[in-house]
Amino acid sequence: MTEISDSLKYQKIILPIQGMSCASCVSRIQTNLSKLDGINSASVNLATESATIAFDDSTISIESIKKSIEDIGYQVVVAEEDNLEDVKENLEQKESASLKRDFILSAVLTVPISFLNMFFAHSSFWVNYLLFVLTAPVLLWSGRRFFIGFWKMLKHLSADMNTLVAVGTSIAFIFSAVITFFPKILQGIGQHPITYYDTSAVIITLILMGRLLEARAKGKASAALKKLLHLQSKTARIIRNGKEIDIPIKQVVIDDLVIVRPGERIPVDGILTEGYSFVDESMISGESLPVEKQIGSEVTGATINQSGSFIFQAKKVGKETLFAQIVKLVEDAQTSKAPIQQLADRVASVFVPSVILISMLTFTLWYLFGGEHNLVHAIFSAVAVLVVACPCALGLATPTAIMVGTGVGAEHGIIIKNARSLEIAHKIDTIVLDKTGTVTYGKPSVKEVIAFQPYTQNELIYHAAIVERYSEHPIAHAIIEHANKLEIKLDTPYQFDSVPGKGSEAIVDKKLVKVGNYKYLEEVIKSSGEDLSGVTKFESTGHTVVFVSIAQKLSGLIAVADRIKETSMSAVAAMSRSGLTVWMITGDNKRTAENIANEVGITDYLAEVLPQDKVVRVKRLQEQGNTVAMVGDGINDSPALAQADLGIAIGTGTDIANETGDIILVKGDLRNVNTAIELSKRTMKTIRQNLFWAFIYNIILIPIAAFGILDPMLAAGAMALSSVSVVSNSLRLRRFKP
């Protein structure tokens, strides 16, 4: 339930809808829903094939809403909220499978149709009969969805791409069938009978190919939410009536005592009441280092317990947990996105009726004033108008450019998911960068080693790394990794012991070696007499300082921090040179954020920002009139990636970020952000050129066809020429260089 006003509460429901094919479908459903009493808002999303509706359930029921959508020709599936993503995925898989089968059948039959029509159509009468037999299943079976869509639009006196395809292919097929079975109809004007079966078959095949590619792209939308939901624990181990029991997470209630073991995900939000541990909260904060948890500390659902066992008291369950709110943010941002807008869809409602009207007017005028053989002239001219207006080039205009553009992007390590990404990328004026895993590598590494006499840096690392061999702490891993890079051979520690939250110790070469923080080695540090002025400098720049004592004497310190990617500085500089405003928004602390921002050249940054606040910041930039791209790699970035005008995911990050993002940088190189924007500009320029060529033939040749100057064969040739020009223009994109 979502409160909309002081007096009314509106229930929100998301309904999967089947049968939408273009922007006019979205508009039609939204307009229809807005007229119903009790509907507060309705947002229909073509990309996710769903409608998000807020309604007053005391005024209108879900069944009434469902019926109103089905009455205008679309199919609605009502599912329980917990099962919604599974239902949507099942529908998408069925639709994709159906499209694939229809496309394969159509393509297999179109090859011989085109061959026969090109070389043998006029050599013998039986060839036309064979062409009729081969084309009929392409039109009536593979192309049935276009005719079903056409009929639905016709009932409501509207038109879309289905109308364009259905009218063009059916007229070409019917005219060809008439010539096949009644060839003498043309003898009155001395014309040789010409068929256009290949026109119908090729159009159906190409449009199906475009629909199949689009269906596969849209199928990614639900995968992000599904993968996100899988991160949550399915069960929780709780203590009730003095007994430990495992229950479904839905049955956990506030104040339940929940037990969490090492390596397990925390099921709900709460406060730790017993035990001690470190928890990986990177999915929430973006911070790469685990967070210490002791009695009284807050724990968050779906984060990972790393070391010790503990018990906590549940304080937020179900939809109230922070994880559930992140899921909702991703879902809301995705369903609020504008649908993919193609020029062909936007003009179809005007173009198609106009072409049909011109064709009818052409037929009428020729029939009334055509003189001798007026009927044949009327049919010829009317068919020529319809054939020259067939949407072959129109269907190719966007898909071919996108196919080439996305292929070029992939060659440069940029995965572009859909046409919308290319439509938006070239408009971006503001880039928002996450820090951890995006600007930096997202894991701690040794930045500097300071050894005190009589030890060298390598000797200090040798002793520290041996002690840390049995530790699970990320800083320990960083020290061991540094030792491996230096090719230092590590022995097994003797009498290893760990003090949670402080450090570790062990016997190395018969000497007691301690590795840890200031509290752990405070007495040794105070009595050392060494110059520790560098510690303050390290800490002020976001480094974690690890102290090492050997035989009860301070022997050195190791500065550990998340490492900045080598390409980040040049990438930020390139963005700035391109006129882009660059922000860095991170959940990390202010000191670290400031240090990273200064080092890579970012002047605008925000620190200690939670996932829900990242969304607010992105929205605020959008409200200021900016077109925003969000670049991130973690689960905590997913809501902001979905909310931004363009989500750019770091390919080396989580699957959730990759699924939510519109563009994926496979190698995690920020320089590819600029490359993606450049490629978008080139691709959109190509699409606009393609659409121009697709329509210019219609604009010039439709009047010529109407005046009877252009016969259907030449009309088909002109249509083919427009297709060739569109494909050739798209192939020029292959020469793109960043």
Side-chain angles (χ1 to χ4, degrees):
M1 300 285 285
T2 304
E3 190 167 341
I4 306 298
S5 68
D6 294 335
S7 57
L8 286 176
K9 284 188 175 181
Y10 292 96
Q11 183 176 342
K12 177 184 171 183
I13 187 171
I14 300 175
L15 297 177
I17 299 176
Q18 289 183 293
M20 294 190 293
S21 62
C22 63
S24 61
C25 298
V26 172
S27 177
R28 188 172 301 108
I29 296 171
Q30 286 186 167
T31 301
N32 182 68
L33 289 172
S34 65
K35 295 177 181 177
L36 301 177
D37 291 335
I39 299 292
N40 175 261
S41 64
S43 174
V44 182
N45 191 308
L46 181 63
T48 59
E49 294 184 310
S50 62
T52 304
I53 305 164
F55 66 100
D56 179 5
D57 57 359
S58 65
T59 304
I60 189 170
S61 66
I62 294 175
E63 283 301 317
S64 297
I65 296 172
K66 180 174 177 284
K67 186 176 183 300
S68 71
I69 298 173
E70 291 179 338
D71 284 345
I72 57 173
Y74 302 94
Q75 184 179 350
V76 180
V77 179
V78 178
E80 295 294 328
E81 185 174 351
D82 294 338
N83 195 39
L84 180 62
E85 291 306 315
D86 290 333
V87 170
K88 288 171 66 178
E89 182 182 28
N90 186 46
L91 292 175
E92 289 164 1
Q93 288 176 348
K94 286 183 177 179
E95 174 64 13
S96 183
S98 175
L99 277 168
K100 185 177 181 180
R101 288 193 299 268
D102 291 343
F103 168 69
I104 291 173
L105 173 63
S106 182
V108 168
L109 291 175
T110 296
V111 172
I113 290 170
S114 300
F115 181 77
L116 288 171
N117 208 94
M118 183 179 299
F119 297 106
F120 300 103
H122 313 306
S123 61
S124 178
F125 73 92
W126 65 264
V127 175
N128 282 342
Y129 289 102
L130 180 58
L131 285 169
F132 176 85
V133 172
L134 291 173
T135 307
V138 175
L139 198 73
L140 303 177
W141 180 254
S142 294
R144 68 193 181 281
R145 67 190 71 243
F146 304 117
F147 292 93
I148 293 171
F150 165 65
W151 176 245
K152 290 177 180 178
M153 296 303 103
L154 185 62
K155 288 193 295 184
H156 297 281
L157 301 177
S158 187
D160 63 358
M161 276 294 290
N162 289 318
T163 309
L164 201 63
V165 176
V167 170
T169 55
S170 61
I171 289 296
F173 180 78
I174 292 170
F175 183 74
S176 300
V178 170
I179 291 174
T180 299
F181 294 100
F182 308 101
K184 293 183 180 180
I185 196 170
L186 299 181
Q187 290 179 355
I189 58 172
Q191 292 288 332
H192 187 76
I194 300 170
T195 59
Y196 304 96
Y197 291 114
D198 57 338
T199 298
S200 298
V202 168
I203 290 172
I204 293 293
T205 301
L206 291 173
I207 301 300
L208 282 175
M209 180 182 69
R211 290 274 180 97
L212 180 61
L213 293 174
E214 182 182 353
R216 288 180 175 177
K218 290 192 293 186
K220 299 285 187 178
S222 61
L225 285 176
K226 188 170 183 180
K227 286 190 177 183
L228 192 56
L229 290 169
H230 283 170
L231 292 179
Q232 189 175 35
S233 301
K234 301 298 181 184
T235 62
R237 174 161 292 185
I238 66 168
I239 301 174
R240 282 184 184 170
N241 301 321
K243 296 182 179 179
E244 294 184 12
I245 57 173
D246 290 330
I247 62 172
I249 192 172
K250 296 177 185 177
Q251 297 179 14
V252 178
V253 298
I254 293 176
D255 292 335
D256 266 341
L257 293 177
V258 184
I259 301 172
V260 183
R261 293 182 173 84
E264 293 181 343
R265 289 189 182 274
I266 298 170
V268 296
D269 298 356
I271 296 177
L272 196 142
T273 58
E274 183 180 331
Y276 179 91
S277 186
F278 281 87
V279 174
D280 179 359
E281 293 188 339
S282 58
M283 64 161 288
I284 301 298
S285 66
E287 170 57 63
S288 55
L289 298 178
V291 179
E292 180 183 6
K293 299 294 180 182
Q294 52 192 348
I295 294 175
S297 299
E298 294 183 354
V299 292
T300 305
T303 56
I304 303 173
N305 178 31
Q306 287 204 332
S307 52
S309 298
F310 60 84
I311 299 173
F312 73 94
Q313 189 174 34
K315 292 300 179 183
K316 291 182 180 179
V317 299
K319 296 180 181 179
E320 300 302 317
T321 65
L322 181 59
F323 179 78
Q325 292 173 25
I326 291 176
V327 172
K328 184 177 182 299
L329 287 169
V330 174
E331 187 177 57
D332 288 348
Q334 283 192 341
T335 55
S336 67
K337 278 184 176 179
I340 298 173
Q341 295 287 336
Q342 292 187 7
L343 183 57
D345 288 332
R346 292 196 293 267
V347 304
S349 59
V350 176
F351 177 71
V352 177
S354 299
V355 170
I356 295 173
L357 183 62
I358 292 170
S359 180
M360 293 173 62
L361 183 62
T362 299
F363 179 89
T364 303
L365 292 175
W366 272 106
Y367 183 74
L368 293 176
F369 307 107
E372 189 178 4
H373 308 302
N374 59 337
L375 178 59
V376 176
H377 282 300
I379 293 174
F380 249 76
S381 300
V383 169
V385 169
L386 288 168
V387 170
V388 82
C390 281
C392 194
L394 198 59
L396 286 169
T398 299
T400 53
I402 290 171
M403 288 172 66
V404 177
T406 52
V408 171
E411 291 175 5
H412 291 88
I414 303 166
I415 303 300
I416 302 168
K417 289 187 176 181
N418 50 47
R420 180 193 170 278
S421 305
L422 288 170
E423 286 183 310
I424 294 295
H426 73 289
K427 301 177 183 178
I428 297 299
D429 54 41
T430 303
I431 303 287
V432 176
L433 303 174
D434 171 51
K435 178 187 75 68
T436 306
T438 301
V439 176
T440 68
Y441 280 101
K443 63 178 183 179
S445 61
V446 173
K447 299 298 288 287
E448 191 164 343
V449 179
I450 297 177
F452 303 138
Q453 291 295 335
Y455 298 100
T456 65
Q457 291 183 356
N458 280 19
E459 289 172 338
L460 188 75
I461 290 294
Y462 165 78
H463 286 87
I466 289 178
V467 172
E468 298 287 34
R469 283 192 70 181
Y470 288 164
S471 175
E472 294 297 324
H473 199 285
I475 288 180
H477 293 167
I479 294 173
I480 293 170
E481 183 178 339
H482 190 68
N484 291 334
K485 286 181 180 179
L486 296 174
E487 298 182 352
I488 296 175
K489 185 178 179 180
L490 302 179
D491 295 326
T492 301
Y494 179 63
Q495 292 184 352
F496 171 83
D497 190 22
S498 176
V499 180
K502 292 186 177 181
S504 304
E505 61 182 59
I507 301 297
V508 179
D509 295 341
K510 299 181 180 181
K511 298 176 184 176
L512 177 62
V513 180
K514 292 185 176 182
V515 182
N517 59 24
Y518 183 88
K519 290 182 179 179
Y520 189 46
L521 296 170
E522 186 173 3
E523 292 183 6
V524 174
I525 293 170
K526 287 181 177 179
S527 61
S528 68
E530 298 287 353
D531 180 13
L532 299 178
S533 58
V535 173
T536 303
K537 178 185 175 183
F538 285 132
E539 291 180 339
S540 67
T541 54
H543 291 67
T544 298
V545 178
V546 178
F547 296 90
V548 181
S549 76
I550 303 174
Q552 297 299 323
K553 180 181 179 182
L554 185 65
S555 304
L557 53 90
I558 303 169
V560 178
D562 193 0
R563 188 158 57 95
I564 295 174
K565 293 179 180 178
E566 291 81 0
T567 58
S568 292
M569 188 179 300
S570 60
V572 170
M575 292 175 197
S576 299
R577 286 196 302 270
S578 299
L580 299 169
T581 301
V582 184
W583 281 80
M584 186 180 76
I585 301 180
T586 177
D588 212 340
N589 63 74
K590 293 180 180 178
R591 186 175 58 193
T592 302
E594 181 181 11
N595 177 60
I596 298 294
N598 289 338
E599 193 166 341
V600 298
I602 297 174
T603 55
D604 298 314
Y605 63 90
L606 294 169
E608 299 177 1
V609 180
L610 294 177
Q612 57 267 44
D613 296 324
K614 283 189 179 183
V615 173
V616 171
R617 296 293 180 176
V618 170
K619 282 184 178 179
R620 191 170 297 171
L621 289 169
Q622 290 171 321
E623 289 167 357
Q624 293 170 357
N626 300 301
T627 305
V628 181
M630 173 71 195
V631 187
D633 75 310
I635 296 169
N636 61 306
D637 301 316
S638 297
L641 284 168
Q643 173 60 43
D645 298 287
L646 183 71
I648 302 177
I650 299 297
T652 52
T654 64
D655 288 343
I656 304 306
N658 289 339
E659 291 293 350
T660 309
D662 302 299
I663 293 176
I664 301 174
L665 308 183
V666 177
K667 298 178 181 179
D669 190 338
L670 281 181
R671 293 176 299 183
N672 278 339
V673 172
N674 260 345
T675 303
I677 293 174
E678 289 177 25
L679 181 59
S680 167
K681 291 178 180 178
R682 286 283 301 277
T683 306
M684 286 309 299
K685 180 180 179 181
T686 301
I687 289 174
R688 286 192 290 267
Q689 291 170 344
N690 286 351
L691 290 171
F692 169 79
W693 287 114
F695 282 112
I696 197 66
Y697 287 95
N698 297 125
I699 294 171
I700 295 174
L701 295 180
I702 285 177
I704 295 176
F707 281 105
I709 302 172
L710 188 69
D711 69 23
M713 186 60 187
L714 291 177
M719 183 194 68
L721 181 60
S722 68
S723 300
V724 171
S725 65
V726 162
V727 174
S728 300
N729 191 49
S730 296
L731 290 175
R732 292 194 308 119
L733 273 172
R734 295 167 66 180
R735 298 199 295 266
F736 171 82
K737 298 292 182 184

